[in-house]
Amino acid sequence: MRKALIVALALSSGSLLINHAAIADEGQWQPHQLPSIADKLKQRGIEIPAKQLADLTKYPMNAVVSLGYCTASFVSPKGLVVTNHHCAYGAIQHNSNKAHNYLNDGFLAKSMDEELSAGANERLYITEDVKNVTDTVTADLGKDPLTRYETIAQRRKDLVKQCESDANYRCSVRSFHNGLEYYLIKQLIIRDVRLVYAPSEHAASFGGAIDNYEYPRHSADFTFLRAYVGKDGKPAQYSKDNVPYVPKGFVKINENGVKAGDAVFAAGYPGRTSRYRLTSELKFANDWQYPHMAERYQRRIDTIEQMGAENKDIKIQYASTLASTANRMKKLNGLLDGFRATDIVGIKQHKENEFKAWLTKQQPNSDIVSNLETLLKKQQANYKQSFYFDNAQSSALLEAAKRLYRLAHERQKPDAKREAGYQERDMKLFAARLKRLDTRFDARVDKVLWLQDLMAYENQSNRVKALDAWLAQDKAPLKQRVADMYAQSQLTKHDKRLAWMKASVADFKSSQDPFIQLAVTLYDTNMRNEKAAKTLAGKLSIARPAYMGAIIAYNKSLDLPVYPDANGTLRVTYGVVDGYQAQDGMYKQPFTKLEGLVAKNTGVEPFNAPAKLIKAIKDKDYGSHEVESVYPDPRSMLCRLFSCEANPAKFESVPVNFLSSVDTTGGNSGSPVFNAKGELVGLNFDSTYEAITKDWFFNPVITRAVHVDIRYILWMMDKVDHADNLLKELDIEK
C-alpha cells in the first residue's frame, strides 16, 4: 500500500498537497537562472528579489563559499566561517592526537592567536565570476571521437590558463547539461584556513552512522573556521603574521529561526545528481554498480573499525576516512532501498516512454535515444571490466607511485599540453596531497585494505593481463608479498615521495622500490584504458548533448523546471519548513528538540552526548533560546496530507534540527539555510532516508533535507561551550 501511494503521488502534479506544499520545490538552480523563476520564488514566499540572488557580488551570495567538497558561509567581517562539523572533520583530525583529542573533546579558541591551522590542504574558494563559454569550447569540433575529446579538454585548459593570470585565483570550465553548455568559473583561493570552534563529535554526530540519513535527528553538526590572508589583504600560505580576511559580504543571523510553513532557501555547491540519466543507467546502478560498491565499502568499514578499536592512533588517523566511507555506504543502501520501495525504475521508465512518444512526433526518424543507449552499453561493460582492476590498485603508496610516474611522463610535454592535474598550476596541491599521507595513512591499515582488494580481484572473472602477470611472477603467498612491499618501500616517508616529483621516466624504470616498479608495470595498461575511456567520452560528447537538447525542449513544452544536474558548482534551491509522511501511520514533524536528545542518550557510543550538554538540558538552562511554539497558529497550521501533533502549539524547548523541502545533495553539506529575508536560520547537513533517491528522481512528497537549527547552534555556543567571544562577533538579528 505504501509503495502504491508513494508512486501515485510521485506521478501526480502534487495537487493533493495543502497550501504551501502545493508548490513543487524541485530545482538546483544556477544563480543566473533565478530571474527566470522569479514568480515561483515569490509564490513560495522568498522576499529577496531574484535579481539580487543572481548577483554574486551582492548579499547573501557574496558570503557563500566552497571548501572544495562542502559549502560554508562567512558570518563576520573578520573572516569567520561556519560549516558542518563533518565538513571540518579533516581539520579537527589534523590537530588531534592522544594529548589533545579535539574530535572527542571539542575545541574552542578563546582568542585569534589560539586558532589552529586547518592543514596545508585546506582551502576556501570564493566564486567571483561565472561566464558562459559554450561557443568557445564547442565550435568546429569535428566527429572523430578522440580528437573531439582532446580538443574540448585543450580548450578548457586554455581558458583556465587565461583566467588564472593572477595566481590567487583558481578557475575551471564546467560542463552543464552533459556537455550542452560550458561555463568558466573564477574563484578566489584562501590558502590559510584555521580551526576556531568545534563541538565534541559526540554532540556534532550524535547518533553516528545509526542516525545518518535518519530522522528525527539531534546533531550539533557545525564548526567555525576562519580565513586568513597576508597583511596586504591577498591570499597567502599559513603564517603567524597573516591577518583575518575581510569578506565582501557576511550573513546576518536571525536568532528567532523559522517556524513550520516558513519559506526558506539554501545556497551551496551540490556534488552530483543523475536526474537526466536514462532508465537503463538507473537499472545498471541498481543491479550491478551500487551493490558491488556497497560490498567493498562494508569490508573497508569493518576493517577500519576493528583496527581502530585495537589502536587509538589508528582510530584518530582514519576517523575522517571511516566517517566518509560509512556515509557513502549508508547512502548506497538508501538508494537501493529507495529503488525497491518506490519503484523509481518504473517511474523513470514511464516518464521516459512519454518523452520518446513526444520525440517521435517531433522527429519521426530520430535516433537520438538509440545512439545514446548503444554507447551506454559499452560504457557499462567497460565499468565492469575496470571495477576490480582499479580497486586492485587502491594502495595509498601505489596510488602515489602511479601519480608520480605519470607526472614524470607529463613533464616531458609543454605545460599547456599536459593532462589536467599535472600542470604547473597543480603542483602545490600535488605536493600537499603527497604530504597528507602522513596524517591519514598507516601502513598497517593500508596493506590490509589493499590485500582485500587484490583478493577480490583474484576471485572474479574480469581479468587484466598486466596485473595477472604481476600476480603470477612470485610464488610467495600474496599476504607475504604485500607485507614485504610495505617494509621495503621508501614511499612511506613524505620527503622521499616529494623527491620523486623531479625524477625522470628513466629514474622510475630503474627504481627498486616495489610500488614504483608496480606503477611502471601497470602504466601502459592504465594509459590504454584511459585512451579508450576518452574515445568513448568523445562519442558521448555528441550523443549526450543531443539527448539533453531534446529533453529540455520536452520539459519546456510541459512547463517543467529545466535546471542542470548538480556538478559541484554554486546553486540555489528553495522550499518550505515541513514534515512528511514517512510510512503508513508515521508522520514526521519538522522540528526536534533538546528533550528528544536526552531521551535517545544512552551514554554508549554513538548515543553518548557530552555530560555538560546533558546537564544543561536537564537543568533547563535554555535562556533566551527557548521557543514556545514552532507553528504559526494551531488554527491555521500548515500541515501535510496526514496527521499533526495533538497539541502542536506547545514546544517549550530549543529546536535542534529541522526539515525542509529544499533540493539538496552531497556537497550541500554546510550550506547556509536562509529565511525569506536572507537571514541565516540553519545549516544543511543531511537528507532523510526516504529522500536519498532524489539524486535520480525528485519526489516532492517525501524529499526532505535535514538542517541544524541556528537556535541550537547559538544555545550550544552560549550555554554549553561558552563561546562568548564568537557570539560577540556575529551579527545577530533579534
Side-chain angles (χ1 to χ4, degrees):
M1 179 64 184
R2 174 173 177 258
K3 178 176 178 178
L5 172 65
I6 293 175
V7 171
L9 289 172
L11 292 172
S12 76
S13 64
S15 59
L16 292 175
L17 305 182
I18 298 172
N19 203 345
H20 280 65
I23 311 167
D25 297 325
E26 177 179 356
Q28 296 171 343
W29 301 92
Q30 293 172 268
H32 77 263
Q33 291 182 294
L34 295 175
S36 70
I37 59 165
D39 57 334
K40 292 182 173 63
L41 294 170
K42 188 174 182 180
Q43 184 183 12
R44 170 53 79 197
I46 305 301
E47 297 178 18
I48 292 185
K51 187 176 180 180
Q52 180 177 334
L53 290 176
D55 192 336
L56 302 185
T57 68
K58 293 183 178 179
Y59 182 92
M61 299 304 291
N62 60 6
V64 181
V65 299
S66 171
L67 294 172
Y69 47 87
C70 281
T71 304
S73 53
F74 287 114
V75 289
S76 92
K78 298 178 181 178
L80 191 65
V81 170
V82 67
T83 187
N84 286 156
H85 183 277
H86 77 260
C87 293
Y89 210 86
I92 305 167
Q93 176 189 328
H94 174 77
N95 288 288
S96 293
N97 51 49
K98 286 183 178 179
H100 301 287
N101 190 344
Y102 297 129
L103 288 171
N104 184 74
D105 304 331
F107 172 79
L108 173 63
K110 283 290 189 178
S111 61
M112 289 185 184
D113 60 355
E114 294 180 0
E115 295 172 0
L116 304 174
S117 171
N121 295 327
E122 204 62 61
R123 301 283 189 275
L124 290 178
Y125 299 93
I126 305 168
T127 301
E128 293 191 356
D129 189 43
V130 178
K131 179 182 179 182
N132 191 325
V133 293
T134 305
D135 291 344
T136 302
V137 174
T138 62
D140 302 320
L141 288 173
K143 294 186 177 180
D144 179 72
L146 183 58
T147 301
R148 184 182 178 90
Y149 175 91
E150 291 176 339
T151 301
I152 291 173
Q154 189 60 53
R155 289 175 178 174
R156 293 170 80 170
K157 287 188 289 186
D158 291 344
L159 285 165
V160 165
K161 185 176 181 179
Q162 295 170 18
C163 179
E164 291 183 347
S165 57
D166 184 337
N168 292 323
Y169 286 88
R170 184 81 171 178
C171 301
S172 61
V173 176
R174 298 295 185 93
S175 165
F176 292 76
H177 290 304
N178 292 306
L180 191 63
E181 298 177 347
Y182 289 88
Y183 284 81
L184 174 65
I185 299 167
K186 185 177 183 179
Q187 296 177 309
L188 182 70
I189 313 169
I190 302 296
R191 295 185 174 88
D192 184 355
V193 183
R194 303 187 193 180
L195 180 63
V196 178
Y197 164 44
S200 163
E201 69 172 329
H202 300 302
S205 57
F206 181 77
I210 295 174
D211 265 8
N212 196 18
Y213 289 112
E214 300 293 345
Y215 194 83
R217 294 288 290 276
H218 301 84
S219 300
D221 199 349
F222 70 91
T223 289
F224 287 85
L225 306 170
R226 195 183 302 277
Y228 280 80
V229 291
K231 289 183 177 181
D232 59 359
K234 296 181 179 180
Q237 297 292 340
Y238 173 85
S239 170
K240 291 183 179 180
D241 295 329
N242 284 349
V243 297
Y245 171 70
V246 179
K248 293 179 180 178
F250 61 94
V251 298
K252 299 176 181 178
I253 294 172
N254 189 311
E255 69 173 358
N256 296 316
V258 284
K259 293 185 177 182
D262 283 355
V264 290
F265 68 96
Y269 293 80
R272 291 288 182 272
T273 53
S274 304
R275 293 177 188 168
Y276 297 106
R277 298 287 178 170
L278 273 65
T279 305
S280 61
E281 295 179 90
L282 173 56
K283 289 179 179 177
F284 177 73
N286 181 55
D287 297 343
W288 202 94
Q289 182 182 4
Y290 290 168
H292 284 76
M293 290 172 65
E295 180 183 6
R296 178 172 182 258
Y297 284 153
Q298 191 59 61
R299 278 200 310 269
R300 298 174 79 83
I301 290 168
D302 292 344
T303 298
I304 295 171
E305 284 184 338
Q306 180 180 347
M307 298 185 75
E310 297 169 356
N311 187 297
K312 289 186 178 180
D313 286 336
I314 288 176
K315 184 175 183 179
I316 293 173
Q317 207 158 21
Y318 279 82
S320 180
T321 301
L322 180 61
S324 62
T325 306
N327 183 65
R328 294 190 198 105
M329 180 68 189
K330 188 72 174 279
K331 183 170 184 176
L332 284 175
N333 284 335
L335 284 163
L336 293 169
D337 287 346
F339 294 158
R340 289 188 291 268
T342 61
D343 189 24
I344 289 180
V345 171
I347 293 171
K348 282 191 71 69
Q349 188 66 67
H350 174 78
K351 291 181 175 294
E352 191 173 303
N353 290 342
E354 290 182 333
F355 161 69
K356 289 178 180 178
W358 174 87
L359 182 61
T360 299
K361 290 181 180 179
Q362 302 296 316
Q363 303 178 38
N365 299 315
S366 174
D367 57 2
I368 288 174
V369 178
S370 60
N371 282 348
L372 181 54
E373 290 281 20
T374 298
L375 294 175
L376 293 176
K377 288 180 181 178
K378 176 63 175 174
Q379 186 180 56
Q380 290 160 11
N382 289 351
Y383 184 90
K384 286 184 178 181
Q385 176 69 33
S386 65
F387 180 80
Y388 287 98
F389 174 62
D390 291 344
N391 289 342
Q393 302 175 67
S394 64
S395 162
L397 297 187
L398 178 56
E399 177 63 27
K402 285 168 53 185
R403 284 177 54 80
L404 286 163
Y405 187 47
R406 178 69 178 274
L407 177 61
H409 281 275
E410 295 295 332
R411 286 177 61 241
Q412 296 176 331
K413 307 174 187 176
D415 186 62
K417 299 296 183 181
R418 295 183 193 176
E419 190 75 14
Y422 296 91
Q423 295 178 289
E424 288 304 318
R425 67 188 287 269
D426 304 308
M427 288 303 97
K428 288 182 180 178
L429 285 176
F430 193 105
R433 184 173 178 178
L434 292 175
K435 291 179 182 177
R436 187 170 59 187
L437 279 180
D438 288 349
T439 58
R440 299 191 181 185
F441 164 84
D442 187 294
R444 292 168 294 182
V445 180
D446 197 61
K447 67 183 177 183
V448 173
L449 296 177
W450 186 38
L451 182 62
Q452 290 173 348
D453 281 335
L454 286 170
M455 293 172 68
Y457 169 82
E458 289 192 311
N459 292 327
Q460 53 86 49
S461 59
N462 287 304
R463 316 301 296 186
V464 176
K465 184 177 180 180
L467 182 56
D468 283 348
W470 178 80
L471 288 168
Q473 74 183 17
D474 193 324
K475 299 303 181 183
L478 186 58
K479 184 176 181 180
Q480 185 60 52
R481 287 182 65 189
V482 167
D484 290 344
M485 290 178 70
Y486 282 87
Q488 296 165 13
S489 179
Q490 294 291 306
L491 295 179
T492 54
K493 302 172 183 177
H494 83 259
D495 58 331
K496 298 292 185 182
R497 295 193 296 271
L498 291 173
W500 279 101
M501 287 182 66
K502 300 297 184 182
S504 67
V505 171
D507 293 331
F508 279 87
K509 289 183 175 180
S510 62
S511 173
Q512 296 303 304
D513 187 287
F515 284 103
I516 290 176
Q517 288 179 332
L518 182 54
V520 172
T521 296
L522 300 178
Y523 179 78
D524 288 343
T525 299
N526 282 323
M527 293 304 295
R528 281 195 299 272
N529 290 348
E530 183 178 300
K531 183 178 180 180
K534 288 179 177 179
T535 301
L536 181 57
K539 295 177 181 178
L540 286 167
S541 73
I542 300 173
R544 282 223 189 262
Y547 176 79
M548 282 306 306
I551 283 287
I552 290 171
Y554 171 66
N555 282 348
K556 285 183 176 179
S557 74
L558 299 176
D559 195 28
L560 292 174
V562 179
Y563 56 90
D565 265 323
N567 62 353
T569 60
L570 184 57
R571 306 293 180 93
V572 176
T573 174
Y574 63 92
V576 65
V577 178
D578 200 1
Y580 70 106
Q581 186 78 11
Q583 59 187 26
D584 184 36
M586 181 183 291
Y587 178 84
K588 295 195 174 183
Q589 297 292 338
F591 291 91
T592 61
K593 55 186 177 180
L594 294 178
E595 287 74 14
L597 188 154
V598 173
K600 290 168 73 174
N601 188 64
T602 63
V604 178
E605 192 173 356
F607 296 99
N608 55 333
K612 60 182 178 180
L613 173 60
I614 297 298
K615 183 179 186 303
I617 299 173
K618 290 185 175 180
D619 291 346
K620 288 194 173 293
D621 187 12
Y622 298 164
S624 62
H625 310 287
E626 183 174 358
V627 174
E628 291 299 315
S629 175
V630 292
Y631 292 96
D633 188 319
R635 294 167 296 179
S636 60
M637 210 178 65
L638 297 169
C639 290
R640 279 213 169 255
L641 290 169
F642 307 91
S643 66
C644 298
E645 286 182 333
N647 190 355
K650 293 183 178 179
F651 193 79
E652 299 174 344
S653 185
V654 177
V656 176
N657 297 154
F658 70 95
L659 298 172
S660 86
S661 59
V662 296
D663 186 356
T664 63
T665 191
N668 274 121
S669 290
S671 286
V673 180
F674 300 102
N675 63 13
K677 296 179 180 180
E679 299 163 330
L680 187 69
V681 293
L683 299 178
N684 183 73
F685 74 93
D686 206 356
S687 295
T688 57
Y689 197 71
E690 296 87 349
I692 290 176
T693 50
K694 65 186 172 181
D695 282 2
W696 286 90
F697 173 75
F698 186 91
N699 182 346
V701 177
I702 58 172
T703 297
R704 296 293 178 272
V706 187
H707 318 299
V708 56
D709 198 296
I710 194 63
R711 292 163 288 195
Y712 186 44
I713 295 175
L714 295 174
W715 178 77
M716 284 280 295
M717 297 174 74
D718 182 16
K719 298 296 184 178
V720 179
D721 290 326
H722 307 292
D724 305 319
N725 56 314
L726 298 181
L727 286 169
K728 292 177 182 178
E729 192 176 333
L730 303 177
D731 185 353
I732 302 176
E733 299 288 323
K734 301 293 184 181

